Amino acid sequence: MKNMLVVTSGIVAMILSTVTLAGPREDLLAQYAAAAKATGFSAARGQTLHTQNFSGGKPDTPSCTTCHGKDTRGAGRALTGKAIEPVAVSVTPTRYTDPAKVEKWFKRNCTEVLGRECTPQEKGDWLTFVIGQ
Amino acid sequence: MRIPYRPLAIGLVTLAFSALVLARAQAGDRHFFAPVADSVVKEECGSCHLAFAPSMLPARSWQRMMGELDNHFGDNASLDPATAEKITSYLVANAGDAGGQRYSSKLLKGVATGAAPQRITELPKWVSEHRKVPDWEWRHKEVRTKANCVACHTAAEQGYYEE
C-alpha cells in the first residue's frame, strides 16, 4: 500500500514537472523576447551579468552581487543594512510575478550598477538565470 | 575529541554582541512611533530600508523629501506622480507635527521652525539619545548604517524604539 503511494506520487510529480504553466514570469520573458527580437535567452549570460563588475554605475554598487550576495539562494543585504530576499525562484517563489515591480527594479538597479537601463536581452537572460536557480 | 574552536568562537562573539545590544535596547521606557500602516507606503518606502515612521519628521521634511526623490540620499528613487502624491499625503497627514503624536514633540525638540531636516539621525534629540553608542557598534556588519534601526531596536518595525 505504502509502495503504491510512493509510486503514484512519483508519477504525479513527474507529470507536474514536465508541464510548464504559462505564468507572469513566462509572459515577461515573451515580452522581452519580442522587444529584443531575441532568438533565445541564456542563463549563462544572465549569470555573467549578475556577477560581473561594471564601472559605469555607482562606485559603491559595482555589481548585482554587491547587494544580492554571491549565493543566489541566500539572502542579500542592501547598503542600508536591510535584508533582501534571495533572487532564486526556487527559494522565493513569489518573485517576478508582478511585471510592474520587475520593471521598476530592473530600471532602478541597472541604473545603479551599470549606469544605464538594461536591454530587453539582458533582462531576459537575467530572468532566465534566476528562474533556473 | 577535536573541539571546533573556530565556530565556537564565532558563536560566542555573536552571542556577546547580541546580548550587549539587546541589553541597551531593552533598558529604559518604551518610545512608540506608529509604523506605516498604508500598504503602498510600506512597499515603496520599505523595500530598501525600514519604512520610517512618518511621526519622526515634521510635514515640511516629508514634502521636501518627496519632491527630491530623484536624488534620495544619492539614489534615484523616483516614483510615478500618482504614487508619489499618495505617499506624500500619507506622510504629511501622519507627520510628527501633525498633532496627536505622543513622542514626536520630544524627538523634534530643537528643530528650528521652518527647517526641513531630511535625516532622522541628525535630529538633535536623536543624536543625544544615541551618544553612548560607540563607533565600533555602528560599524558592525549587522548594523552598517545609523538608518538600520532594527539592528538594535528589534521591535522597530512594530513602532517600538526602546532606549
Side-chain angles (χ1 to χ4, degrees):
Chain A
M1 187 60 202
K2 205 177 168 189
N3 278 344
M4 269 287 281
L5 209 72
V6 171
V7 171
T8 317
S9 54
I11 293 169
V12 169
M14 272 192 286
I15 294 170
L16 279 179
S17 65
T18 52
V19 178
T20 30
L21 296 163
R25 283 188 283 258
E26 287 69 27
D27 291 347
L28 258 172
L29 281 175
Q31 271 177 43
Y32 293 143
K37 297 183 180 69
T39 47
F41 293 124
S42 145
R45 274 201 306 264
Q47 180 165 26
T48 306
L49 180 76
H50 189 67
T51 51
Q52 83 180 102
N53 278 309
F54 294 90
S55 53
K58 290 170 64 178
D60 51 353
T61 53
S63 79
C64 306
T65 52
T66 307
C67 295
H68 289 292
K70 289 202 175 82
D71 176 12
T72 54
R73 296 185 186 90
R77 193 188 283 270
L79 295 184
T80 57
K82 194 179 166 82
I84 307 171
E85 290 187 322
V87 290
V89 169
S90 65
V91 188
T92 322
T94 49
R95 268 200 178 268
Y96 324 117
T97 51
D98 175 356
K101 197 171 167 180
V102 174
E103 273 296 292
K104 173 189 155 181
W105 286 104
F106 265 137
K107 185 174 179 188
R108 197 158 159 188
N109 294 347
C110 289
T111 310
E112 301 243 312
V113 174
L114 288 81
R116 61 167 172 83
E117 288 195 35
C118 284
T119 64
Q121 178 76 54
E122 286 168 328
K123 291 178 190 175
D125 287 340
W126 190 86
L127 206 53
T128 305
F129 166 58
V130 291
I131 287 172
Q133 286 290 298
Chain B
M1 193 189 131
R2 280 188 64 225
I3 302 170
Y5 283 110
R6 224 177 112 94
L8 257 174
I10 294 172
L12 277 175
V13 167
T14 312
L15 206 73
F17 177 75
S18 311
L20 207 93
V21 168
L22 206 71
R24 175 166 292 126
Q26 280 182 336
D29 61 349
R30 302 188 143 213
H31 293 225
F32 181 72
F33 293 88
V36 170
D38 182 282
S39 62
V40 174
V41 180
K42 217 163 163 174
E43 166 77 19
E44 299 298 341
C45 306
S47 298
C48 301
H49 52 70
L50 169 72
F52 299 109
S55 62
M56 289 186 162
L57 287 175
R60 53 189 185 272
S61 292
W62 295 121
Q63 277 158 337
R64 183 177 145 201
M65 194 178 296
M66 292 303 292
E68 301 172 346
L69 279 184
D70 57 331
N71 184 7
H72 186 62
F73 304 99
D75 280 0
N76 186 341
S78 301
L79 293 167
D80 65 89
T83 310
E85 175 86 37
K86 188 175 163 11
I87 293 171
T88 308
S89 358
Y90 179 85
L91 295 173
V92 166
N94 295 282
D97 55 351
Q101 314 286 5
R102 187 153 174 217
Y103 293 101
S104 295
S105 53
K106 268 188 180 171
L107 181 63
L108 298 179
K109 215 174 146 193
V111 175
T113 329
Q118 296 295 285
R119 289 179 194 270
I120 295 163
T121 56
E122 284 174 6
L123 298 173
K125 182 71 178 166
W126 190 99
V127 174
S128 69
E129 287 279 320
H130 294 81
R131 68 191 182 279
K132 285 182 194 155
V133 182
D135 237 23
W136 67 265
E137 237 172 274
W138 292 122
R139 285 196 309 264
H140 190 275
K141 70 174 176 51
E142 296 296 325
V143 181
R144 292 186 191 208
T145 89
K146 290 182 176 172
N148 191 8
C149 312
V150 285
C152 303
H153 301 285
T154 50
E157 281 181 66
Q158 286 76 48
Y160 295 100
Y161 297 81
E162 299 94 81
E163 206 176 281

